[in-house]
Structures are given as structure tokens and as C-alpha cells.
């Protein structure tokens, strides 16, 4: 499906609901012809200031959280059935069947798992809205990890669902193509306090140079929590880090099941395709605070969103810094309720390691019914 067809789909694909539903999100399925224009009140809902203890934060997971079976039982909530119907038109395949039934090897592919996590995370929002609508109404901040940032922006009203999904599709395909150009990967590292990650990457790059690899890449791709990193780059660099983990003061290393060195310079070929599609879709300033992976700061306007999403592909995800930005407060001030909406509990785990007080108000909204 090309962008012109997708945009026609988008005219029918706005998030359903009313102000008591997920009104932050653009409407997913306009049950009328799609020609009517939303009122100014719907376009720019007015938020009331809330006490910190009565506010909520939504966190959206990224690639790697997917699993076969996610989405099971969620079709009864809100707009979930329509969301998957729109996804099938945008993507050109049955995403719901892939999520529910696999096969796992197909779901794990970058081109499939990124759209899957995006849609399932917004399906989890629909579940939260049914089970705890106050959590939606009181939400003041959202953030997403890597591709999860697109779901956070849809939730915030900055993007249309179908247009954002199309951008995710283009992004995933471009990242896969970039990954196919060179043997690379990502390594999860938990280090001792004395570990020097920058020095370790320098050593790994020098090792690659000794092997004749030109312009080797090895750099921190994700800042997760204190002494928790993901390092990405050429496969030979990651092999070096694993083989020398003891002298580098790494307590534990694990290769991640991904196809490339995401959020490093090796993703440079993917930047322009994403930048091109972001120019074509509608982007607005978020109606609530949404924090960028690039620097942890809030998005300020539509151009800022477009620039940072493209830059994110070749920049480390500063998740630890983002959590500090969201949860920093004066001593004695209450923490908001935090909801991780989507597959997995990885973001809750990082929150626990970064801010135990904030984690006490954490809830996971799963994508499978018990």
C-alpha cells in the first residue's frame, strides 16, 4: 500500500470514541464518511491541572516486547477490532492473525514486530480506558521506547493512527534494509559501577580496525538504568565485548534477538525514508507532554516531532534520562500513577531500577486477558 492509498484510509480511520474514551488520540474510525471536521473543542481539548498524586503517566514499550498470543481477548474493548482492520489495510497482511498465532519467526522480524507492538500497545490503551477510564482522563505525560514513541504520539493527539502506522511500516522496512547491509547487532550489558562503557566501545572499535573493518561502529544504543546499557555495532565489536567482559567490568552480557545495530550510525540509510514519510503525514503538537528518546525532553511543536523521530534512528535511546525528566519532583511531592500499556514489563523493570518511589505506583496493562 502506498501513501496516497493510506491517506484515503486515514480519512476513515480516526480514533473512535468520545471525551470519556481515548480522546487524546486522533479518531481511528470515523463512522460517518470522514468528511466532517472535528470541532475546535475536540481538536484541542482543554486539560485541567491535576495534583501529582492524581495524575497518570503512560509508557509504551518498544521492539523486543512482542510475543505470540498478544492481543488475545482484546477485541471486545473499544476500537480494537477496528484498529486491526485498519492495520490490515495499511500493512497489506493480517496483523491480528500474526499476533495471535505467529509463527514466532515471522513475528520476530523487524518489519512485523514494530507494527505489532504499536497496534497492540494502543489496544492496551483501549483496555485501560474500559477498566479504568480515570487513568486516561488524568494522563498528563506519555513516553515510548523507540517505536513505542509513535504510539505515545498517537495517544497524545499528535498523529493519526493509520498515518502513524504507515510511518512505522516505512521505518521498520528501512531499518531492516539498513541491517541487511552489514553484520551487526545489539548487546545488553549490566556493568559494575567502575565499568567504562565509552572506553569499552573504543577498544572494540580498535579491534575491528585490526581486522580490516573500515569505519567500525560500536556505541551505546540504549541508556536503560544505572549500569544498564545496550551497546550496538558491528558483530565483531560485540564479540570482542563479550570475550573481554571480565576485564571491562561487565557482570552480564546478552545478545538481543534483533537484526541490526539500531540507534547507531549503521541506521543512517534508514533516516531519509522515514524523514520523507514524516513530511507527508499530518503531525501536530501533542496535547499532553510527550518526551523524546533523543534527549528526554518534551516535544514542543510539529517540526520538533518530525526532526527528533528521524534523528532517533541514529541516536541512543536515553530512557534513563527520560524517566528522570518525567519523575523529578520536590521532596515529599507525590508521584503519579504509571501505566505500562503494551506487551511485556520491561519498562516497569527499568522504572524500578531508576526510581523505586515512582515504581510503587506502577501498573502493567497487559495485551492478553488472564
Amino acid at each position: 500500500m502506498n501513501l496516497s492509498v493510506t491517506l484515503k484510509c486515514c480519512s476513515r480511520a480516526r480514533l473512535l470514541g468520545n471525551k470519556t474514551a481515548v480522546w487524546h488520540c486522533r479518531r481511528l474510525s470515523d463512522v460517518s464518511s470522514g468528511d466532517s471536521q472535528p470541532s475546535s473543542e475536540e481538536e484541542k481539548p482543554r486539560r485541567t491541572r491535576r495534583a501529582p498524586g492524581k495524575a497518570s503517566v503512560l509508557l509504551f514499550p518498544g521492539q523486543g516486547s512482542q510475543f505470540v498470543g498478544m492481543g488475545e481477548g482484546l477485541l471486545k474493548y473499544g476500537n480494537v477490532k477496528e484498529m486491526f482492520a485498519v492495520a490490515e489495510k495499511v500493512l497489506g497482511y493480517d496483523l491480528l492473525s500474526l499476533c495471535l498465532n505467529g509463527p514466532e519467526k515471522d513475528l520476530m522480524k523487524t518489519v512485523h514486530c514494530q507494527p505489532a507492538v504499536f497496534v497492540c500497545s494502543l489496544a492496551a490503551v483501549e483496555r485501560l480506558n474500559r477498566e479504568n477510564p480515570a487513568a486516561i482522563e488524568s494522563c498528563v505525560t506519555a513516553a515510548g521506547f523507540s517505536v513505542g514513541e509513535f504510539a505515545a504520539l498517537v495517544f497524545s493527539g499528535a498523529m493519526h493512527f493509520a498515518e502513524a502506522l504507515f510511518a512505522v511500516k516505512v521505518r521498520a522496512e528501512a531499518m531492516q534494509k539498513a541491517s541487511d547491509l552489514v553484520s551487526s547487532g545489539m548487546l545488553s550489558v549490566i556493568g559494575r559501577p567502575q565499568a567504562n562503557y565509552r572506553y569499552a566501545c573504543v577498544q572494540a572499535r580498535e579491534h575491528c580496525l585490526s581486522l580490516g573493518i573500515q569505519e567500525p561502529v560500536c556505541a551505546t544504543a540504549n541508556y536503560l538504568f544505572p549500569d544498564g546499557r545496550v551497546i550496538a555495532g558491528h558483530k565483531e565489536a560485540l564479540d570482542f565485548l563479550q570475550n573481554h567482559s571480565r576485564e571491562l567490568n561487565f557482570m552480564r552480557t546478552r545478545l538481543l534477538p534483533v537484526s541490526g545495530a539500531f540507534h547507531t550510525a549503521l541506521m543512517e540509510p534508514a533516516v531519509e525514508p522515514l524523514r520523507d514519510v514524516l513530511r507527508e503525514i499530518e503531525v501536530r503538537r501533542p496535547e499532553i507532554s510527550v518526551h523524546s528518546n533523543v534527549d528526554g525532553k518534551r516535544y514542543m511543536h510539529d517540526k520538533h516531532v518530525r526532526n527528533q523521530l528521524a534523528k532517533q534512528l541514529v541516536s541512543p535511546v536515553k530512557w534513563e534520562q527520560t524517566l528522570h525528566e518525567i519523575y523529578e519532583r520536590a521532596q515529599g511531592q507525590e508521584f503519579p500513577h504509571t501505566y505500562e500499556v503494551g506487551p511485556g514489563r520491561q519498562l516497569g523493570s527499568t522504572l524500578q531500577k531508576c526510581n523505586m518511589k515512582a515504581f510503587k505506583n506502577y501498573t502493567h496493562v497487559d495485551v492478553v486477558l488472564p
Side-chain angles (χ1 to χ4, degrees):
M1 176 178 281
N2 60 35
L3 183 57
S4 63
V5 175
T6 300
L7 293 178
K8 290 179 182 178
C9 177
C10 288
S11 69
R12 306 188 299 273
R14 310 283 176 82
L15 247 142
L16 287 166
N18 50 43
K19 289 182 181 178
T20 62
V22 192
W23 55 261
H24 300 82
C25 307
R26 296 283 181 93
R27 297 200 169 184
L28 172 67
S29 180
D30 207 344
V31 288
S32 65
S33 65
D35 296 330
S36 60
Q37 296 295 318
S39 68
S40 59
E41 186 179 16
E42 287 179 319
E43 275 294 294
K44 294 186 178 181
R46 296 178 180 177
R47 307 292 296 177
T48 56
R49 185 177 295 274
R50 296 179 181 274
K54 295 182 179 179
S56 65
V57 172
L58 264 59
L59 303 179
F60 293 82
Q63 182 173 348
S65 61
Q66 71 278 353
F67 60 89
V68 173
M70 63 182 186
E72 185 175 357
L74 296 187
L75 294 183
K76 69 178 183 178
Y77 293 110
N79 313 300
V80 176
K81 187 174 182 180
E82 289 84 355
M83 291 166 68
F84 278 105
V86 169
E88 185 169 358
K89 293 178 181 178
V90 172
L91 301 172
Y93 59 87
D94 189 344
L95 181 67
L96 178 60
S97 177
L98 182 62
C99 289
L100 293 178
N101 308 312
E104 185 178 25
K105 64 180 181 63
D106 288 341
L107 180 61
M108 296 298 287
K109 293 177 180 177
T110 296
V111 293
H112 295 144
C113 68
Q114 289 193 17
V117 170
F118 169 84
V119 175
C120 285
S121 295
L122 289 170
V125 172
E126 293 291 325
R127 177 183 180 181
L128 178 61
N129 179 65
R130 172 79 68 85
E131 297 177 350
N132 185 4
I136 299 297
E137 290 291 340
S138 63
C139 184
V140 296
T141 301
F145 193 101
S146 192
V147 71
E149 202 165 323
F150 286 83
L153 287 163
V154 170
F155 175 73
S156 75
M159 291 179 170
H160 294 296
F161 171 85
E163 290 182 354
L165 177 57
F166 185 78
V168 168
K169 175 179 182 290
V170 171
R171 178 185 190 268
E173 291 171 349
M175 291 173 72
Q176 184 62 62
K177 288 180 181 178
S179 299
D180 293 341
L181 296 175
V182 60
S183 179
S184 58
M186 304 183 79
L187 183 71
S188 174
V189 175
I190 296 179
R192 295 183 176 86
Q194 61 267 39
N196 187 325
Y197 303 96
R198 182 174 296 181
Y199 172 76
C201 290
V202 169
Q203 293 286 95
R205 290 195 297 269
E206 290 179 353
H207 170 72
C208 289
L209 287 170
S210 73
L211 299 177
I213 298 173
Q214 297 183 353
E215 298 182 2
V217 171
C218 183
T220 298
N222 303 158
Y223 293 87
L224 301 177
F225 50 86
D227 296 315
R229 305 282 191 276
V230 172
I231 296 175
H234 282 83
K235 181 180 181 300
E236 293 83 355
L238 303 185
D239 290 341
F240 174 87
L241 295 179
Q242 285 192 293
N243 292 335
H244 296 81
S245 60
R246 177 171 294 182
E247 51 263 49
L248 293 171
N249 289 305
F250 294 167
M251 291 190 295
R252 189 164 74 232
T253 62
R254 179 175 64 89
L255 283 172
L256 300 182
V258 297
S259 59
F262 304 150
H263 304 291
T264 72
L266 291 178
M267 288 295 107
E268 189 63 44
V271 172
E272 203 55 38
L274 178 59
R275 197 184 301 277
D276 286 343
V277 75
L278 290 172
R279 291 191 190 104
E280 297 297 321
I281 67 175
E282 183 181 356
V283 179
R284 302 191 312 173
R285 178 180 177 177
E287 299 291 350
I288 60 173
S289 296
V290 178
H291 291 255
S292 168
N293 285 178
V294 173
D295 56 12
K297 305 296 184 180
R298 291 183 298 166
Y299 283 116
M300 303 308 296
H301 48 75
D302 59 330
K303 186 177 180 181
H304 191 204
V305 172
R306 289 186 173 95
N307 288 342
Q308 294 292 79
L309 286 178
K311 188 176 180 180
Q312 186 219 73
L313 287 179
V314 291
S315 303
V317 173
K318 294 186 176 179
W319 191 251
E320 180 183 354
Q321 295 87 333
T322 297
L323 295 181
H324 288 316
E325 285 282 335
I326 292 174
Y327 296 102
E328 183 180 13
R329 58 205 58 241
Q331 187 173 3
Q333 191 176 23
E334 291 184 90
F335 285 90
H337 297 276
T338 297
Y339 299 89
E340 181 174 358
V341 281
R345 298 172 180 263
Q346 292 91 332
L347 301 186
S349 178
T350 59
L351 178 60
Q352 185 177 21
K353 292 178 174 67
C354 289
N355 193 322
M356 178 59 77
K357 290 182 179 179
F359 178 73
K360 290 180 180 179
N361 290 336
Y362 164 87
T363 302
H364 178 229
V365 183
D366 207 348
V367 291
V368 175
L369 294 186

